[in-house]
Amino acid sequence: MSTINDPYASTTDSREGPVFTVTGQDWDTIDASAVEGDHLVINMGPQHPSTHGVLRLVLEIDGETVRDARAGVGYLHTGIEKNMEYRTWTQGVTFCTRMDYVAPFSNEAAYVMAVEKLLGIEAPEKAQAMRVLLLELNRISSHLICIATGGMELGALTVMTCGFRDRELILDLFEMITGLRMNHAFFRPGGVAQDLPEGAIEQLRSTVALLKKRLPEYAALCNANPIFKGRLKGVGHLELAGCLALGLTGPVLRATGYDWDLRKKQPYWGYETYDFDVVTRDEPDAYGRFRVRLDEMWQSLRIVEQATDRLEKMDGQPVMVADKKIAWPSQLSVGADGQGNSAEHIKHIMGESMEALIHHFKIVTEGFRVPAGQAFASIEAPRGEIDCHLVSDGGTRPYRAHFRDPSFVNLQATSVMSEGGMLSDVIVAVASLDPVMGGVDR
Amino acid sequence: MTDEKGNRDARDAGTRTQDASHETRSELLRSDTTQLEVVEIREGAFGAPGTGDTSGFGGLTRPVMMPGASQRPFGGWYDEVADRLAAGPGLGDAIEKVVVDRGEITFYIRRQLLLETVTHLRNDPVLRFEFCSSVSGVHFPHETGRELHVAYHLLSMTHNRRIRLEVATPDGDPHLPSVVSIYPTADWQERETWDMFGIIFDGHPALTRVLMPDDWPGHPQRKDYPLGGIPVEYKGGTVPPPDEWRSYS
């Protein structure tokens, strides 16, 4: 395709110099005499297959060398924080689960932890074990996506197909336990929405067994692969001091050799009782981060196995706090006519107790009140520290909800990781940060 | 209810109900403002004023209060950090008040001394808050002269401690010193707070919008930001904006 006759974007002049539109394979159509030197400012994205969604990178390049890199975000901003101010505390989960859609449970976890802190309650033991189980499965599926898309961007398509194949196994588990593959809204203030369904333990065990067989494939495909190593080694280098200054957490921080993991340092929901190791590596580059993620999946599998063992022994225990002023009144069930409130509950509120009906109506439409004050909760998400800052004015809705999303903060390192490097390494550097734009823009 | 007014627990204040016949609004306000932050006086239970509410709850009047200032000892390492912070160079008056609530400590800092405070918090080896987790704004339109708050959540990885700094600034002069020179990670987070609340961080390297489009008018997360109603096709009606929906006070 020729750039000269492009009816939508013909060559124009700007203050910076002439503007050209090229769409790939047609760089030679640019009139070289119109360009002074090799100095170019190019827009990568927002619609670009290797920017992990709608990320816009403004790159100033000199030949193949990146002189200046700026990231532009906000293309997926949906006002989730503002929307939450007009919904009940329970409905808030439905919103925040959509932020970082690759790791939805982490968003829900940070939010419900902050609400529970404000209420001064603690979820029952079984609910905590289910949360840990889902969070760790989610960590594996999220790291698989990171490795898969990162591989795809290098042209390693086998890594991508393997990654998505194995993530599918975990999404099947999510579907079985929560009813949905993503956007679960499963963690609720006070517990989780539903008990484990029948057959979940067996399914968990068989999936873990299968994953154990398949995870070594990534190591076999990549760890010693000279092309893979050649593309990743030394790219996106950022030492510990840089990570702390720029607020980077998660695998990026642990690849500098610092064992900072909130699951160990500030444990929540019984993480201190699980046996697992924090993975670190003294290679603060894209390759080190890849290896950290790879090893973290194995540690998560260990936690998943332990959580499964515990849940097997907790059959019949409650998954929601006993306080009826907070707990959701009904449970979902699948009947002959589809999914809905359990028939027993409907029978109770419609035929037996007017008070139960009033209670159901009040708690579902009005919600519960949360004492005034503010709370802050942090958990270790697959991408790093996700924090939720909640302010309550004593009402039935959050007065203010703010999320510190790890993707948003980590993405600030784009410039320092890519400037001075090759254009092709920008993609590797961004992929090693593993940003999810839904979380960045919220 | 009046007899236990003096020692009312701050934590329960938000959910406590009171009989309006015993106290007037102004009495309610006056009695507690010294120790508690009154957010609002709420009447009724269903958002319907006067005789429109036939539930019998229409006469309820209750103040909603934020947790008030805490007295020493704060407990645990809180006292050590508070002492060390107040002993910083020129930081004698930096702390307005300290609130310990729900296991978290909040230092309310005077905005003129914010930059000196965070510099000391990061550099002092006993404090060593080397990591700034989060910067976010909160809008309290009823707090005249202190409408806009910014909360800084600092983390000390060395000592494994978290604190919150809260700084208030008037709506008419929404300026705060930028902490980017101390915590480079605050760059985008301050841009987001400017974008959403219109707080100007003086000294920020490039304070531009980050989430909303560059030419967007207004700051969406302020409480006074107008929310649009949605026109309903064919009927000529509108779905009212969310702040006009029925709410339960």
Side-chain angles (χ1 to χ4, degrees):
Chain A
M1 183 185 150
S2 163
T3 51
I4 288 129
N5 299 320
D6 187 347
Y8 300 106
S10 57
T11 300
T12 52
D13 283 305
S14 76
R15 274 185 307 171
E16 316 295 328
V19 176
F20 299 98
T21 302
V22 278
T23 54
Q25 313 284 315
D26 54 353
W27 283 79
D28 54 343
T29 59
I30 293 179
D31 179 9
S33 62
V35 188
E36 284 174 38
D38 277 345
H39 191 78
L40 280 176
V41 181
I42 61 164
N43 236 331
M44 202 168 103
Q47 301 293 334
H48 192 278
S50 59
T51 52
H52 287 245
V54 277
L55 168 67
R56 177 185 171 205
L57 294 169
V58 185
L59 305 171
E60 206 177 307
I61 54 172
D62 185 0
E64 282 281 309
T65 309
V66 178
R67 290 278 171 242
D68 193 85
R70 301 282 168 91
V73 300
Y75 296 91
L76 265 185
H77 179 60
T78 43
I80 283 173
E81 291 174 2
K82 180 82 172 177
N83 270 307
M84 287 169 78
E85 292 172 13
Y86 297 97
R87 310 284 163 165
T88 66
W89 293 93
T90 309
Q91 286 172 317
V93 185
T94 322
F95 278 87
C96 69
T97 190
R98 282 159 168 78
M99 297 189 313
D100 181 344
Y101 41 79
V102 179
F105 287 117
S106 307
N107 312 332
E108 298 176 18
Y111 174 73
V112 298
M113 187 188 278
V115 179
E116 286 170 3
K117 221 169 171 183
L118 279 170
L119 286 166
I121 58 169
E122 199 167 75
E125 205 187 339
K126 185 170 186 186
Q128 294 190 4
M130 283 178 70
R131 287 175 179 177
V132 168
L133 174 90
L134 291 166
L135 281 168
E136 291 310 318
L137 282 171
N138 202 175
R139 192 180 311 277
I140 303 173
S141 71
S142 172
H143 282 352
L144 281 172
I145 282 284
C146 173
I147 290 168
T149 52
M152 176 189 72
E153 287 156 9
L154 302 179
L157 291 177
T158 316
V159 178
M160 183 200 69
T161 48
C162 287
F164 279 98
R165 176 198 68 188
D166 296 345
R167 173 178 179 253
E168 206 58 30
L169 298 172
I170 293 169
L171 294 191
D172 286 345
L173 280 177
F174 288 164
E175 191 176 355
M176 182 182 198
I177 294 170
T178 73
L180 291 162
R181 288 156 53 87
M182 59 192 290
N183 303 339
H184 313 277
F186 188 68
F187 294 4
R188 302 280 170 85
V192 293
Q194 202 85 357
D195 203 347
L196 278 182
E198 256 178 64
I201 300 286
E202 295 75 52
Q203 189 69 44
L204 276 163
R205 289 203 195 288
S206 67
T207 303
V208 167
L210 190 51
L211 279 173
K212 278 187 171 172
K213 235 190 271 171
R214 288 189 176 173
L215 283 187
E217 289 181 12
Y218 299 94
L221 270 169
C222 303
N223 280 6
N225 181 327
I227 303 172
F228 192 82
K229 280 177 90 168
R231 287 298 308 273
L232 267 66
K233 271 230 174 248
V235 173
H237 186 96
L238 192 62
E239 294 284 356
L240 175 64
C243 283
L244 289 191
L246 287 168
L248 270 68
T249 44
V252 185
L253 180 60
R254 288 190 285 275
T256 66
Y258 187 25
D259 63 338
W260 184 264
D261 189 321
L262 291 172
R263 294 175 296 171
K264 283 274 191 217
K265 301 281 182 185
Q266 298 171 0
Y268 45 94
W269 298 337
Y271 263 114
E272 67 276 15
T273 59
Y274 293 89
D275 187 22
F276 69 102
D277 300 321
V278 176
V279 179
T280 59
R281 217 176 162 82
D282 282 322
E283 280 174 284
D285 54 19
Y287 183 73
R289 288 164 209 146
F290 163 77
R291 293 292 296 265
V292 166
R293 291 196 177 95
L294 209 54
D295 293 344
E296 272 186 9
M297 291 199 285
W298 286 100
Q299 297 301 327
S300 293
L301 267 189
R302 280 174 73 187
I303 302 175
V304 167
E305 282 186 315
Q306 294 168 51
T308 312
D309 291 342
R310 290 184 195 188
L311 285 166
E312 197 170 21
K313 295 189 198 105
M314 288 191 216
D315 195 31
Q317 284 187 27
V319 293
M320 183 55 96
V321 284
D323 188 348
K324 293 285 178 203
K325 290 284 185 193
I326 292 168
W328 196 251
S330 63
Q331 289 261 301
L332 287 172
S333 69
V334 181
D337 54 347
Q339 183 179 267
N341 285 332
S342 74
E344 243 167 76
H345 179 71
I346 297 293
K347 187 179 147 219
H348 181 58
I349 60 170
M350 298 308 284
E352 294 170 357
S353 166
M354 190 174 80
E355 289 75 15
L357 177 63
I358 295 172
H359 173 73
H360 178 110
F361 180 73
K362 287 270 285 175
I363 203 114
V364 170
T365 58
E366 181 181 331
F368 50 80
R369 285 185 177 75
V370 169
Q374 53 184 334
F376 184 76
S378 355
I379 67 148
E380 187 72 33
R383 268 159 276 282
E385 175 180 326
I386 181 167
D387 301 329
C388 177
H389 177 215
L390 283 180
V391 181
S392 171
D393 66 345
T396 54
R397 304 157 162 184
Y399 185 78
R400 164 93 170 111
H402 175 75
F403 288 88
R404 180 255 198 218
D405 191 276
S407 301
F408 180 71
V409 179
N410 289 4
L411 206 52
Q412 294 188 86
T414 310
S415 308
V416 74
M417 282 186 181
S418 5
E419 284 171 8
M422 301 283 281
L423 179 58
S424 55
D425 291 344
V426 173
I427 292 166
V428 178
V430 171
S432 78
L433 289 169
D434 188 20
V436 172
M437 299 315 289
V440 173
D441 297 339
R442 284 155 290 139
Chain B
M1 275 267 161
T2 20
D3 50 334
E4 58 175 277
K5 195 177 65 189
N7 50 18
R8 192 188 290 121
D9 182 28
R11 184 86 72 83
D12 291 340
T15 49
R16 206 60 76 85
T17 56
Q18 277 191 309
D19 190 341
S21 59
H22 295 293
E23 286 167 298
T24 62
R25 286 179 68 101
S26 56
E27 276 172 339
L28 269 174
L29 266 176
R30 202 174 337 112
S31 62
D32 280 324
T33 33
T34 48
Q35 60 182 109
L36 299 171
E37 299 277 325
V38 177
V39 177
E40 200 182 345
I41 307 283
R42 289 209 181 129
E43 286 172 1
F46 298 98
T51 52
D53 181 359
T54 56
S55 67
F57 290 102
L60 280 179
T61 306
R62 55 204 177 85
V64 178
M65 282 165 286
M66 285 293 181
S70 304
Q71 302 304 318
R72 278 176 187 273
F74 304 132
W77 52 265
Y78 294 160
D79 291 286
E80 188 193 347
V81 170
D83 290 338
R84 192 81 186 179
L85 177 55
L91 296 181
D93 322 318
I95 303 173
E96 283 175 350
K97 66 171 177 181
V98 181
V99 176
V100 180
D101 180 48
R102 295 170 168 96
E104 295 172 5
I105 189 163
T106 310
F107 294 96
Y108 286 75
I109 305 291
R110 274 178 233 286
R111 62 169 170 160
Q112 296 84 352
L113 290 168
L114 174 67
L115 195 59
E116 291 79 359
T117 306
V118 292
T119 311
H120 183 57
L121 280 168
R122 190 197 63 174
N123 293 348
D124 189 275
V126 178
L127 298 167
R128 194 64 84 210
F129 286 90
E130 68 273 83
F131 194 87
C132 177
S133 285
S134 167
V135 179
S136 64
V138 191
H139 188 204
F140 293 105
H142 55 270
E143 261 191 65
T144 316
R146 300 166 54 84
E147 288 92 349
L148 294 162
H149 289 223
V150 176
Y152 299 83
H153 291 92
L154 305 184
L155 165 67
S156 166
M157 289 174 165
T158 311
H159 302 295
N160 206 1
R161 296 166 174 173
R162 278 183 195 277
I163 58 168
R164 177 189 299 121
L165 305 183
E166 198 161 327
V167 191
T169 177
D171 200 1
D173 176 36
H175 286 267
L176 282 180
S178 166
V179 301
V180 174
S181 56
I182 306 299
Y183 298 116
T185 178
D187 186 340
W188 283 18
Q189 306 194 48
E190 285 185 356
R191 281 175 68 192
E192 185 188 338
T193 312
W194 147 253
D195 197 354
M196 293 299 163
F197 292 91
I199 297 167
I200 300 161
F201 294 91
D202 298 319
H204 189 284
L207 195 66
T208 51
R209 289 185 185 272
V210 64
L211 294 181
M212 303 302 286
D214 292 341
D215 54 353
W216 191 264
H219 301 282
Q221 283 190 1
R222 293 170 60 103
K223 291 287 177 184
D224 53 10
Y225 183 80
L227 305 175
I230 304 161
V232 182
E233 260 187 283
Y234 308 122
K235 304 272 188 189
T238 53
V239 174
D243 49 349
E244 288 170 24
W245 296 349
R246 161 177 280 199
S247 63
Y248 301 88
S249 55

